[in-house]
Amino acid sequence: MILSGGILPLLVSMAAAAPQQTQTQALAEDRAPVVRRVAATAQLAAQEYRVGVVNGRVVAKSEVEEAAMFLQEARRSAALLPSDSVRPAIAQIDSLIQLVKRTSPPDTLDARVRTLAGGLSQRFGVSLDELPAQTPSLARGAEVYQANCAGCHGSVGRADGPQAVGLEPPPANLADHAVLHDVSPLDYYRRISFGTVGTAMPAFEARLPAEDRWAAALYASVLRLPAPAGEVPPALRTFATTGRMSDDQLVAALGLHDAAEPGALARVAAARTFQSAATAAATSQVFDRVRAQIDSTYTLARAGSPAATARAVDAYMTFEQVERTVRAKDPALAAELEASFATLRTRAAGGATPAELSAIRSRLAVGLEKAERTIGNDLSPVNLFFQSLIILLREGLEAILIVGALMTFLTKMGAGHRKRDINIGVGAAIGASLLTALALETIFVLSPAKREALEGGTMIVATVVLFYVSYWLLSKMEVVKWNRFVKSKVQDALSSGSALALASAAFLAVYREGFETVLFYKALFLSGSGGGAMPVVGGILVGSVVLLAIYVAIHRFGVRIPLKPFFAVTSAFLYYMAFVFAGKGVAELQEGDLVPSTFASWAPRLPALGIYPTAESLALQGALLLLLLVALAWNFVIEPRRARRLSRAMVQEKKGANHDLLRSLERMEADLAEMRAEVERMRRNIASSAPNATSAKPPR
């Protein structure tokens, strides 16, 4: 009732609110370029003004003029804001222009610009500076620079390009560190995007995608630096941090006193160009941005906005950050997504029906979910190690407990000489488990075309077995139930009088554990294929050592394992693994196109728990949750109540039987009393008639 009465309405309300939220977000993103242009040009004006004015005096007139031109550009851009925001924004910019005309202190202009930018960001909900999650590609930056910038700035940034002759003002010398030491890649990105008013520097916002502009900005910022060298602190390994920092700020962050120190600029270059491995969080952010841009495209296209095509291009360019990784793992999926993005760009331009747009959007949502699972579906090495360790400990301990209990009951029943039969069964079970592992691995090698189906099927079977074993452990938590289970196995084997029967009991008990272990490890290797086999193998080795120590402790020193806590903890862990394998198994089957994919935008994505936003995987995991509740209710509520009722009934029945027995005894006592009375009466009669009989003489 709590689930249906509380969570379900919440999910329904979230689903109902989603279209409205998407539309609001799309409108905000539609205004984002204008807001960012106004803020960026004002910030560039403040930067130029600080160079041109020192201590209240104009030291570089051209820089002050550029600042004024940037503010005029910001004023023109502000006219494109929504009507209710145009007047206050222009009024603020006019006040900035007046500050420049009065040669006010640069700090005052900076403060006013920050107020303008912060107000626009808050009013429209727009992030002014969206830095990439990963460091842009220097190789791509070099390509973009040579194609678009080298003509004026020169091939190495020395302002000696063939088109630089006669330009007024001349292009900047990008290799001059003394002049550009306080310029960050973000500053370059703004200049590349919006150009420099009154100069030959054009705006590339409409000519180049954001990824190319960032790549060119980073490349331009290292032209003034030597080759990178030295260690990069963890705090400076993300571009979101270093992309905002000037060289001076990086020098301070590196703990250096001056950029003139030997090797200082090489360390700055190392921090600028550090390429960190793609993290799961960074990858997730990229996919989230792509989905948001697709939703925005859909909303704008339905409204007939001409901005829909540009937004579709942005979505594809964002996807390109992960496209190479997807293509390396699944070329067919990458090609399918590229085709879907192309269709979105074409149909968003106009003429598409709402149903067609919705179908394209759904197809992209399913493809992106598959792509994110493809490149980020593996468990971490630590997770793999602990799951591997606990699997072996659980299965191995249960096998040790069963075999030990069988031996103990044999001794108690006076059949200690039959232990050899159990050892034979255990050895055969171990051999059969190894053969099972070999056969399972051979099947996978022989059927590469059906890999997804086999992997998904293995995980689904593992889910069923894991849940069954988890429930079985719950049902055997009580020591009495465990002893009854083992004793029944021994009695059945001994009653047959056959050596094969006892060996078979041991074989089946141990082989069940071995088969489960093989199945679970196969599923674990599949779920962590990208994390390597070493964590799983490490868990097996450590688990084997621990099992050996436990075996020695039990058989040499009589150590006893508390069954109830052991079964409770391992049962919970096995249920967790069943839950994870259920989600991952459905995901594998969906990748093999054996199970349909219905994307659920409201659902979370938690790969560590096997939770993915598809209706099919969530349905199976929901069924597991329901079965868990039923199992818990049966074992801890219904079954104990039944046992208590049965116990009371047996007591009542026993009382009734005792009462009937007492009544029978009472009747027997009454009958015996009557018999004694009759015997006494007969004795008296005989005694009274004896003299007469003695005195009587026989006739002659």
Side-chain angles (χ1 to χ4, degrees):
M1 291 299 294
I2 293 176
L3 289 173
S4 61
I7 297 177
L8 186 58
L10 176 62
L11 295 178
V12 172
S13 65
M14 287 171 61
Q20 183 177 357
Q21 293 173 351
T22 301
Q23 185 174 7
T24 302
Q25 182 182 10
L27 293 175
E29 288 187 358
D30 196 27
R31 297 163 182 161
V34 177
V35 172
R36 290 180 183 134
R37 173 180 284 275
V38 173
T41 49
Q43 289 164 337
L44 287 171
Q47 185 180 7
E48 295 293 337
Y49 186 76
R50 181 172 291 280
V51 175
V53 176
V54 178
N55 296 326
R57 295 177 53 251
V58 176
V59 297
K61 185 178 179 181
S62 61
E63 303 296 338
V64 176
E65 291 175 349
E66 281 192 13
M69 287 187 291
F70 273 124
L71 289 175
Q72 290 294 339
E73 178 63 24
R75 194 179 192 278
R76 282 191 291 271
S77 298
L80 301 176
L81 292 170
S83 57
D84 58 339
S85 301
V86 171
R87 183 171 296 178
I90 288 180
Q92 284 182 282
I93 296 172
D94 285 341
S95 70
L96 297 176
I97 294 173
Q98 292 302 315
L99 289 176
V100 172
K101 288 181 177 180
R102 294 196 299 266
T103 318
S104 300
D107 288 344
T108 302
L109 186 66
D110 274 343
R112 294 281 189 88
V113 168
R114 285 195 297 270
T115 301
L116 169 66
L120 290 173
S121 174
Q122 184 175 6
R123 178 176 180 79
F124 294 102
V126 173
S127 175
L128 298 180
D129 300 314
E130 289 189 334
L131 275 72
Q134 288 187 272
T135 304
S137 168
L138 276 179
R140 179 57 182 164
E143 293 175 4
V144 175
Y145 177 86
Q146 295 300 330
N148 299 276
C149 312
C152 296
H153 291 283
S155 59
V156 293
R158 299 186 184 278
D160 55 357
Q163 300 173 23
V165 180
L167 290 180
E168 186 60 38
N173 181 359
L174 302 180
D176 190 347
H177 184 270
V179 175
L180 301 174
H181 60 89
D182 60 346
V183 180
S184 70
L186 175 60
D187 295 327
Y188 277 122
Y189 176 78
R190 289 169 178 164
R191 288 182 180 273
I192 292 170
S193 296
F194 307 120
T196 302
V197 182
T199 71
M201 176 69 183
F204 286 92
E205 183 182 24
R207 304 185 189 184
L208 295 174
E211 286 71 21
D212 282 356
R213 281 178 274 145
W214 274 115
L218 178 61
Y219 181 78
S221 69
V222 299
L223 288 174
R224 61 180 184 259
L225 298 173
E231 290 294 324
V232 179
L236 299 178
R237 292 180 179 179
T238 58
F239 186 73
T241 300
T242 60
R244 303 174 185 273
M245 300 173 71
S246 67
D247 290 354
D248 291 344
Q249 291 171 322
L250 274 176
V251 167
L254 288 167
L256 304 173
H257 299 291
D258 196 318
E261 290 185 33
L265 292 183
R267 291 193 62 189
V268 169
R272 283 258 180 263
T273 58
F274 183 83
Q275 291 281 351
S276 60
T279 62
T283 300
S284 178
Q285 288 176 5
V286 172
F287 278 101
D288 288 344
R289 284 182 59 198
V290 175
R291 292 186 182 102
Q293 289 167 332
I294 290 173
D295 290 342
S296 174
T297 302
Y298 172 77
T299 303
L300 293 172
R302 290 199 62 177
S305 172
T309 302
R311 192 57 41 78
V313 173
D314 289 342
Y316 177 68
M317 296 308 299
T318 303
F319 172 71
E320 278 204 334
Q321 296 182 35
V322 295
E323 186 268 340
R324 289 183 181 178
T325 308
V326 175
R327 185 175 297 279
K329 292 193 172 185
D330 192 338
L333 177 59
E336 177 186 332
L337 280 167
E338 282 191 349
S340 296
F341 275 112
T343 304
L344 178 67
R345 293 194 298 272
T346 302
R347 303 307 294 156
T353 64
E356 185 180 359
L357 289 171
S358 180
I360 297 171
R361 181 192 190 190
S362 298
R363 189 161 62 249
L364 277 168
V366 171
L368 289 171
E369 173 57 28
K370 288 183 178 180
E372 189 169 3
R373 287 202 303 256
T374 298
I375 65 177
N377 204 26
D378 301 324
L379 297 175
S380 68
V382 175
N383 197 326
L384 286 171
F385 172 79
F386 279 107
Q387 288 201 30
S388 173
L389 173 63
I390 294 176
I391 285 175
L392 189 62
L393 288 180
R394 199 221 72 80
E395 301 297 331
L397 279 175
E398 187 175 329
I400 290 173
L401 286 173
I402 292 176
V403 173
L406 290 173
M407 297 284 195
T408 301
F409 277 105
L410 275 179
T411 303
K412 287 182 178 181
M413 294 178 179
H417 60 283
R418 301 285 298 276
K419 290 182 179 180
R420 179 174 175 273
D421 299 338
I422 292 181
N423 292 329
I424 293 174
V426 170
I430 294 174
S433 299
L434 295 175
L435 290 175
T436 301
L438 179 62
L440 190 60
E441 192 62 30
T442 303
I443 291 173
F444 272 81
V445 172
L446 292 177
S447 306
K450 299 295 183 180
R451 183 175 179 83
E452 290 86 358
L454 289 169
E455 291 177 358
T458 299
M459 289 188 182
I460 296 299
V461 173
T463 298
V464 175
V465 177
L466 280 166
F467 184 81
Y468 166 75
V469 175
S470 176
Y471 172 77
W472 184 86
L473 288 174
L474 276 178
S475 67
K476 299 294 184 292
M477 280 179 60
E478 301 297 334
V479 177
V480 174
K481 293 181 179 179
W482 170 255
N483 288 336
R484 187 186 306 130
F485 163 75
V486 178
K487 189 175 181 179
S488 65
K489 295 291 184 184
V490 176
Q491 287 177 335
D492 291 343
L494 288 177
S495 62
S496 68
S498 169
L500 182 60
L502 193 56
S504 298
F507 173 85
L508 292 175
V510 176
Y511 179 67
R512 193 194 74 170
E513 309 302 328
F515 176 78
E516 291 169 1
T517 303
V518 170
L519 183 63
F520 299 161
Y521 272 115
K522 186 61 187 178
L524 191 60
F525 274 112
L526 294 174
S527 65
S529 57
M534 288 308 299
V536 180
V537 174
I540 294 174
L541 294 177
V542 174
S544 300
V545 174
V546 174
L547 282 177
L548 180 61
I550 292 174
Y551 180 82
V552 172
I554 291 174
H555 289 275
R556 287 285 184 88
F557 307 107
V559 175
R560 300 177 66 86
I561 296 177
L563 291 182
K564 192 168 184 177
F566 170 71
F567 281 179
V569 172
T570 54
S571 176
F573 176 76
L574 290 182
Y575 176 79
Y576 157 74
M577 291 190 65
F579 190 85
V580 173
F581 285 169
K584 289 182 177 292
V586 172
E588 292 288 349
L589 294 175
Q590 287 173 331
E591 289 181 15
D593 292 328
L594 298 173
V595 171
S597 297
T598 306
F599 184 73
S601 59
W602 52 266
R605 189 178 192 282
L606 304 170
L609 295 177
I611 297 176
Y612 302 103
T614 62
E616 293 76 15
S617 62
L618 293 173
L620 180 57
Q621 290 176 321
L624 278 180
L625 283 174
L626 182 61
L627 288 173
L628 173 64
L629 295 176
V630 172
L632 291 174
W634 177 265
N635 279 282
F636 296 109
V637 179
I638 298 174
E639 185 65 22
R641 286 181 179 176
R642 288 184 58 190
R644 286 195 294 270
R645 285 198 300 268
L646 181 60
S647 178
R648 285 195 296 268
M650 291 178 64
V651 170
Q652 292 297 330
E653 184 179 351
K654 186 175 181 180
K655 287 182 178 179
N658 290 340
H659 181 68
D660 293 341
L661 181 59
L662 286 174
R663 293 184 60 184
S664 298
L665 291 174
E666 289 174 356
R667 285 196 297 270
M668 290 173 64
E669 186 178 8
D671 292 341
L672 288 172
E674 289 183 12
M675 291 176 66
R676 282 197 298 270
E678 182 64 24
V679 169
E680 183 62 26
R681 186 182 62 78
M682 292 174 64
R683 187 181 66 78
R684 286 198 301 268
N685 289 338
I686 293 172
S688 62
S689 62
N692 296 329
T694 304
S695 61
K697 295 181 179 181
R700 293 182 181 265

